[in-house]
Each structure stands twice: as C-alpha cells, then as structure tokens.
Amino acid sequence: MTQSLAPASVDGPAVRSSRPRRVLRAVAVLSCVPYLGLKAAWIAGSRVGIPEGSPLLDDRLAMAVINGVSVLLDSAVIVLALVLTRPWGLRVPAWLLAFPVWVATGLLAPIMAGFPAQLVVRAFGAGESPGKEPFLDEWVFAVVYGGFIAQGLALGGLFVLYARDRWGYLWRGRVGDLPVGVLGPAHRALAVAAAVLALLPLTLHALWACGVTAGLSEGRAADRGGDFYVLEAVFVVFLVAAVAGGVLQAFRRGRALPVSVPLGLAWVGSGAVACWGGWLSLASLGGAGNIADRPTPLMSLAYAGQMLVGLLVAAIGAYSFAERSARAERAAA
C-alpha cells in the first residue's frame, strides 16, 4: 500500500532552534574564515603561501578575478548557514535554496572524499609527481581543504535537519511504494540517456585512474602522481552514484530500499559530476598557458559528458520531488 505523503500541516513545521543547529552554524561560518582571509590577501597582492615559480604568479589580473569569484562563492556558505537555521528561511522558495545547496554539495563532496584519500596515498609515499612545479605551499592545501571539509559536514548536517522539517514527508517509505505516475516514460528515457552519456567519461576516468595516458594532454600525463589517480577514481565513484540514483528512481528498482537512498545518490552524485564537469569545462576554454597543459578533445568531452550526466539526473530528481510535493498538497487539500 502506498504510504501517505501528506505533510503534517499546511503551513509546514517551524525550524527548531537547537544546540546542534547553533554549533553546526558556527562551524560553517568559522570554517570560511581561513579561506576568505587567504583569498583577500592574494587579491590585495600578498604572496603568502605561494612559492616562487608558481603558475599563479604568471597572470595577476586573472588570479585576482578568480579569487574574487571564489570569495563570493565561499561567502554564500555563510548565507546558506543562516537560511538553514533561521525561521525566515522556511519562506525561501524551494528552488532558490535547493540549487545553491546542490551546487555546494557538488563542489564540496569530491573534496571531502578525495582529500583524505590523497593524504592516505601520500602517507605511503605516492603523492604528486616529483618533477611538478610548486603550485601552493603544502600548508595552504591543509588549511583550505580542511576548511572545505568542515563546511561540507556542517552545511550537510544543517540541510538534512532543515529538509527533514520542511520536506521530510517526501522521502518517507520505500522505492516500491512510489506511485507509478510520479516518474513516467520521459524520465526513464532521461535515466537511459544519462547512463549512455556516462559511458565515455566513466571509461576515460577509469582508464586514467588505472594509469593509462591515452587522451591526456602531454603536461597532464607528465604530472601524474598519487593525487591525480585519487581524483580520477573519485570521478568514477560519483559518476556511478549519479547514474545509479537516476536509474533506481526512474525505473523504481531496489523496491525494498528507502526512498532516501536513490535520492541521496542522485543528489550527491549529480551535483559532483555536473559542477566539477562544468568547472573543468570552463577552465578548458582558457587559451593561455603552455600548450602541453591544455586539455585534449577527449578530456574536454569527458568533462562536458559528466556535466550533462549530472544535469539529466538532477532533472529526474527535481521532477520526482515536484510531483510528490504536488500529490501531497492535493492529499492535504
């Protein structure tokens, strides 16, 4: 029997002020300070944490622009932390909140998974290529990525608590309980399209993670090290997660699974591959720099392909939520 999806009340629950929420909010805000401080110093012309010979010193104007964008993106974490913990945050339109949280999830999740794995790999003596030019001092990576991990954990916890209060009724039950009409043929077609499009980037990232250099630029192939292999393996994991989440939802597979499982896979996986695919695609458009370091056509196809996969899977999840929400409102009327 299909479980009722009606919310507990028409007006929705209030955001409960609690010690865990206050602690998570403080962690989210404070974890932004080191990163924002470094970026502000670099914009002002400081070279703290940047060694001699770093490519970052080649184009000061481009560095200032990129750092300015980074400051805006990380400042959004503070805004999100407030939205997720204040009563007025419940009045924010769902799409206006969900999109930046999805982007934040997509950008932070690979760092949260990859950086600890890279530290483990380095502990066994397999880090970056010994011949690679220094990019930043090692302590900068520890400070910045440590802050990102803290931001991801704090924002993730706050969003789960917020979403439980506002939309918890949408992920009750199991996959087999989903009404047949929630996802139709068009969305099964989207899932199939995402799975097919994922084949190329998935294959390339898997090959690169295993040491194959086919399709890599000359500079990228020469600079491979443990960090590179971990990053490629992380892309493989998130591509699989995105496709699995989309297929499980669209075809109602794994009927005994809680609905939160495919939704979680689709949310995190689609965000990671779409946002990083988009970021790397934009970076590949730059014409400056050593020609040996410019992305090859296959690298560009991999980035663009994973971005499209993420967007398709996100569309399936968004429609599923919208349809279940509409059914809940009709049931409550």
Side-chain angles (χ1 to χ4, degrees), residues 146-290:
F148 284 161
I149 291 173
Q151 289 174 34
L153 292 173
L155 272 184
L158 287 174
F159 184 65
V160 168
L161 293 172
Y162 177 99
R164 183 195 62 188
D165 288 347
R166 185 170 178 179
W167 303 301
Y169 60 93
L170 295 179
W171 64 60
R172 285 205 302 261
R174 301 192 176 275
V175 173
D177 297 331
L178 288 173
V180 176
V182 169
L183 291 166
H187 303 91
R188 289 192 286 273
L190 287 178
V192 171
V196 172
L197 284 173
L199 290 177
L200 177 62
L202 183 63
T203 300
L204 289 173
H205 286 305
L207 289 174
W208 296 335
C210 293
V212 177
T213 60
L216 288 174
S217 64
E218 182 182 340
R220 194 66 171 137
D223 289 338
R224 288 174 304 152
D227 290 353
F228 169 85
Y229 296 123
V230 168
L231 180 61
E232 295 303 320
V234 165
F235 283 145
V236 170
V237 170
F238 282 110
L239 273 165
V240 171
V243 172
V247 170
L248 287 173
Q249 287 183 83
F251 290 91
R252 300 171 72 232
R253 300 299 183 186
R255 298 174 65 84
L257 289 174
V259 173
S260 58
V261 172
L263 286 176
L265 289 172
W267 177 272
V268 178
S270 68
V273 298
C275 294
W276 277 93
W279 176 259
L280 293 171
S281 293
L282 287 175
S284 70
L285 297 177
N290 192 330

Side-chain angles (χ1 to χ4, degrees), residues 85-113:
T85 54
R86 304 302 301 167
W88 51 265
L90 284 172
R91 297 192 294 272
V92 175
W95 67 269
L96 189 58
L97 173 62
F99 179 73
V101 173
W102 178 74
V103 171
T105 301
L107 292 176
L108 292 174
I111 295 174
M112 295 171 67

